[in-house]
Amino acid sequence: MIKLIIRIPSGIPGLDELVSEGSGSFAENTVTLVYGPPKVGKSVFSYQFAYEGLLNNEPCLYISTDYGLKDIERNIANFGWNLSEYIENESFYFIDAISTIAGVEVESKPNYFLSSVHNPTDIMVKLGMAIRQITSNSPRYRSVLDSLTTLMAFNDEVLIVRVLTVYIMRIKESGGTAIVTYTEGSASSRVENMLKAIVDNIIHLDGEKLTIEAMIGSGKVKAHYDITSRGIIVD
């Protein structure tokens, strides 16, 4: 019996049409690596993926290693999207792994979890806590881990591969669909190959071209993209 692939929309204009004639990009319950050089739109891609889920009543669990919650709200608002209502109605869950490093004071919220890039084990503990909250109300959700690069800057690279393996296992066991980001060249080629081997889908961004290197149920595809005031748009 053939099992149909259920795809979820990416939130990236043009990408769903490129992958599956508009029926969605990512097979549900998979993990996608979005990688490329610095400043090519990896975080913007993540914002669009997360926000599309929120618009469709799918909670989002966002792990940030580069920005605190206020910075993420501001970054997303730059594209005209309002995150605050989803924070207030507790459909946006946030694991903040950087504010403790920066010494920033944060406001306590039920859907906000403070951790540290120095402590990947604690990030996984907070991941489990957040997943339990999310799945008590929703059988499906989205997650973003942005980015692996910062975790590798503060920890052993191979340890972070192991952490990613745990992250993928927990996300998939609990019904989530996720994106993880990584800056190309910031780890050894051996580690980069390990990252690519443990995810389901791989998308490369270079600032002009979006290349689908691997995607469940889809072939390899390349297309031009722009980063606009409305986010990434694929031609």
Side-chain angles (χ1 to χ4, degrees), residues 7 14-26 203 212 215-219 221:
R7 294 189 183 276
L15 182 57
D16 296 353
E17 290 75 11
L18 185 70
V19 174
S20 63
E21 297 181 345
S23 61
S25 290
F26 307 111
I203 294 177
I212 296 174
M215 180 77 75
I216 289 178
S218 174
V221 182

Side-chain angles (χ1 to χ4, degrees), residues 59 61 90 92-93 109-113 126-139 141:
L61 168 54
E90 298 181 12
F92 185 80
Y93 290 74
K109 297 177 184 292
N111 47 336
Y112 177 90
F113 300 85
K126 300 296 169 53
L127 175 76
M129 294 167 63
I131 286 175
R132 282 194 290 277
Q133 287 191 35
I134 291 171
T135 55
S136 66
N137 296 310
S138 178
Y141 67 97

Side-chain angles (χ1 to χ4, degrees), residues 134-231:
I134 291 171
T135 55
S136 66
N137 296 310
S138 178
R140 62 191 298 185
Y141 67 97
R142 299 186 182 206
S143 181
V144 170
L145 198 174
D146 183 27
S147 69
L148 291 170
T149 312
T150 309
L151 287 176
M152 288 180 176
F154 284 88
N155 302 278
D156 178 79
E157 294 175 355
V158 177
L159 169 64
I160 298 308
V161 175
R162 295 194 195 106
V163 168
L164 177 61
T165 303
V166 173
Y167 172 78
I168 291 172
M169 180 184 69
R170 292 185 177 176
I171 291 295
K172 296 176 79 168
E173 284 183 345
S174 56
T177 305
I179 281 178
V180 297
T181 67
Y182 165 72
T183 299
E184 185 176 16
S186 53
S188 67
S189 58
R190 170 174 166 262
V191 167
E192 288 193 354
N193 289 335
M194 292 168 72
L195 295 178
K196 292 179 181 180
I198 59 177
V199 298
D200 301 294
N201 312 310
I202 304 171
I203 294 177
H204 182 256
L205 303 178
D206 70 3
E208 294 183 353
K209 298 288 186 183
L210 179 152
T211 303
I212 296 174
E213 297 183 355
M215 180 77 75
I216 289 178
S218 174
K220 295 184 179 181
V221 182
K222 181 180 289 187
H224 179 265
Y225 75 94
D226 289 307
I227 303 176
T228 74
S229 60
R230 296 187 295 123

Side-chain angles (χ1 to χ4, degrees), residues 34 43 54 112 147 190 219 227 234-235:
V34 178
S43 291
L54 295 171
Y112 177 90
S147 69
R190 170 174 166 262
I227 303 176
V234 176
D235 295 342

Side-chain angles (χ1 to χ4, degrees), residues 13-80:
L15 182 57
D16 296 353
E17 290 75 11
L18 185 70
V19 174
S20 63
E21 297 181 345
S23 61
S25 290
F26 307 111
E28 193 174 45
N29 207 208
T30 61
V31 175
T32 301
L33 175 69
V34 178
Y35 81 106
K39 310 296 183 185
V40 295
K42 300 183 293 296
S43 291
V44 179
F45 193 109
S46 300
Y47 302 153
Q48 288 174 261
F49 172 77
Y51 200 71
E52 177 70 16
L54 295 171
L55 292 175
N56 290 293
N57 298 316
E58 295 174 22
C60 181
L61 168 54
Y62 203 106
I63 304 173
S64 176
T65 64
D66 294 324
Y67 299 107
L69 184 56
K70 288 185 177 178
D71 286 334
I72 289 287
E73 281 190 83
R74 184 167 51 247
N75 292 348
I76 288 178
N78 286 336
F79 297 100

